[in-house]
Amino acid sequence: MKAVILARVSTMRQEKEGLSLEDIQLPLLREYAKDNNFEIEKEFVFSESADSKIRKKFNEMISFAKKSKEIKAIICYRVDRITRNFRDAVLIDELRLEQGKEIHFVHDHLVICKDTIGRDITDWDTKVYLAKQFLNRLKEDAVISANSKLRNNEWPEKAPIGYLNKTLDNNKKDVILDKDRQRLVRKAFELYASENYGLPQIVKILDDEGLRNNTKAGKPVTKSQLSNILSNRFYYGEMEYNGLIYPHRYEKLIDRWLFEKCKAIRDGRSGTKIKYASKPFVFRGMIHCADCGCLVGKDPKKGINYCVCSQYKGKHGAMRVTEEELVKQVAEAFKNIKVPDDVLEDQRK
């Protein structure tokens, strides 16, 4: 008779401290299958939470068992390894009631199938309920722990790019600046604040200089991640959690004025519907239309850059002049500027 094995841990701590996949669960489940004359068709071995998030491997196991009539049993370590929520329990019940599968919980000494009644079903229902309550307690503990950290000006989650999570000698958690990436994160703010670069350009610059995200794969920072960096208060000394703002006690990566300047640029661009250009525009964000007051942007035509009102694109009598001509006009205006001798002398010092 064919069967599948399901083995799961939901945290690295479980893997190391008592529910190890390779040392505890799999050897026991394989031995159980052998002793009960089951032929293992496939093993589903994974590490992920049993919370409301979609569990890809679990759903894959359910689909695999449903499609194969030859699969007669699912062998698992114990009830809380296969489910900690009622949704998954319903799927397991469908397997046994509609598909005729047996569910074996080796550690619990429990087997349920289509014909199971009485005490064993009560045992199954009770263990599902207790597993769900355990998950609820974990969530509650997480909320309490997060609130406690926030009151102490500590960040309760994974550190943002440019910082690192660190465990101190006393086992307490800390957040420190990442000496390898802090410079590049700061550079991202500086480039954006200059108004000479759009997000795609900054992404490429940071990629070329080796900035990577916080994932294990260490992939380049994406445009979306860069946008999150530029809007993250953490870098100047505040942290946003569940919509509330708290000060934090960690070392700042940038000054607040730099963050606010980047924010003003973001807000300004979203208000005037200006798209990021692939090539720099000399007067980006610096000149406004004399007729309507809207920001002046660049409109390239046949190799010539025209400076036009961003709202009316040069129509209705609004300004439209080549970038070259505008540079000449600005240069002419600068000719009439004279720096006082005393100011010039101070600058020389």
Side-chain angles (χ1 to χ4, degrees):
M1 191 159 54
K2 292 186 177 182
V4 297
I5 280 177
L6 184 143
R8 179 185 69 86
V9 291
S10 54
T11 65
M12 288 301 296
R13 183 175 180 179
Q14 287 183 344
E15 174 65 26
K16 295 177 181 178
E17 298 181 4
L19 282 177
S20 169
L21 293 171
E22 295 296 334
D23 296 333
I24 303 295
Q25 294 189 48
L26 286 174
L28 181 64
L29 300 180
R30 289 165 181 164
E31 183 180 358
Y32 179 89
K34 182 178 179 182
D35 292 342
N36 290 273
N37 297 316
F38 284 115
E39 178 186 346
I40 302 303
E41 184 72 9
K42 190 171 182 178
E43 293 181 350
F44 294 87
V45 183
F46 53 105
S47 173
E48 58 183 337
S49 171
D51 199 357
S52 58
K53 296 179 181 179
I54 296 175
R55 299 193 295 152
K56 184 177 179 180
K57 285 286 186 180
F58 176 84
N59 291 333
E60 183 183 333
M61 183 275 292
I62 295 291
S63 298
F64 186 84
K66 282 184 176 180
K67 289 177 181 179
S68 176
K69 293 183 179 180
E70 294 183 344
I71 301 298
K72 300 300 182 181
I74 293 93
I75 303 173
C76 187
Y77 184 68
R78 66 189 189 205
V79 172
D80 69 355
R81 294 303 86 202
I82 203 169
T83 180
R84 280 187 183 167
N85 60 68
F86 300 132
R87 178 203 64 198
D88 292 348
V90 170
L91 295 177
I92 296 300
D93 274 337
E94 287 178 356
L95 282 181
R96 70 181 182 88
L97 295 174
E98 299 177 11
Q99 305 290 325
K101 313 293 185 183
E102 298 177 357
I103 320 297
H104 294 245
F105 303 103
V106 178
H107 184 268
D108 294 328
H109 302 288
L110 175 66
V111 179
I112 57 174
C113 63
K114 183 177 182 180
D115 299 323
T116 301
I117 58 174
R119 181 176 177 179
D120 285 344
I121 287 298
T122 300
D123 196 14
W124 155 247
D125 289 340
T126 301
K127 289 182 183 297
V128 170
Y129 173 77
L130 292 175
K132 179 66 166 62
Q133 293 306 109
F134 178 75
L135 187 62
N136 289 339
R137 288 197 298 274
L138 289 179
K139 289 181 178 179
E140 183 180 1
D141 290 345
V143 171
I144 293 173
S145 175
N147 289 335
S148 175
K149 284 181 173 292
L150 292 169
R151 285 194 298 270
N152 293 323
N153 307 124
E154 298 175 349
W155 182 239
E157 296 186 353
K158 189 174 183 179
I161 299 172
Y163 288 85
L164 294 173
N165 294 100
K166 182 180 180 181
T167 302
L168 304 177
D169 294 338
N170 57 5
N171 258 353
K172 288 189 175 182
K173 307 296 182 181
D174 199 7
V175 175
I176 62 173
L177 281 173
D178 183 343
K179 63 178 182 181
D180 295 323
R181 293 184 293 179
Q182 61 173 300
R183 177 187 64 84
L184 293 176
V185 172
R186 187 182 297 110
K187 184 171 184 176
F189 279 95
E190 293 170 347
L191 290 174
Y192 192 79
S194 74
E195 300 190 70
N196 290 323
Y197 302 88
L199 293 184
Q201 293 170 291
I202 299 176
V203 164
K204 186 177 186 311
I205 292 171
L206 298 178
D207 184 18
D208 291 342
E209 296 195 25
L211 181 63
R212 297 294 180 264
N213 61 30
N214 283 341
T215 62
K216 290 182 179 179
K219 295 182 179 179
V221 170
T222 64
K223 179 181 173 181
S224 175
Q225 289 170 333
L226 176 60
S227 180
N228 289 336
I229 288 174
L230 295 173
S231 59
N232 193 341
R233 303 169 181 269
F234 195 94
Y235 296 105
Y236 73 78
E238 291 184 337
M239 48 190 179
E240 184 172 352
Y241 193 84
N242 287 340
L244 299 177
I245 308 299
Y246 306 84
H248 70 65
R249 62 177 181 78
Y250 310 113
E251 189 172 351
K252 300 174 184 178
L253 198 150
I254 62 170
D255 292 324
R256 181 164 185 166
W257 69 263
L258 182 57
F259 177 87
E260 294 294 349
K261 183 172 183 180
C262 291
K263 183 178 184 301
I265 294 171
R266 290 198 311 275
D267 294 345
R269 282 176 174 168
S270 62
T272 55
K273 304 179 181 178
I274 293 179
K275 295 182 178 180
Y276 295 112
S278 59
K279 296 181 180 180
F281 172 39
V282 174
F283 299 105
R284 176 181 290 168
M286 299 170 61
I287 299 177
H288 292 264
C289 175
D291 291 350
C292 64
C294 291
L295 201 62
V296 169
K298 182 182 69 171
D299 182 27
K301 298 289 184 183
K302 297 182 179 181
I304 299 175
N305 289 333
Y306 290 92
C307 300
V308 300
C309 169
S310 57
Q311 183 66 29
Y312 298 103
K313 301 186 182 302
K315 298 178 182 179
H316 310 299
M319 96 168 255
R320 182 179 183 86
V321 62
T322 66
E323 186 177 33
E324 182 180 2
E325 178 59 30
L326 194 55
V327 169
K328 290 180 180 179
Q329 293 178 19
V330 173
E332 192 64 31
F334 271 106
K335 289 181 179 180
N336 298 322
I337 297 176
K338 178 176 175 58
V339 180
D341 293 338
D342 56 338
V343 174
L344 189 59
E345 187 62 28
D346 288 340
Q347 292 300 314
R348 286 173 177 169
K349 293 179 181 179

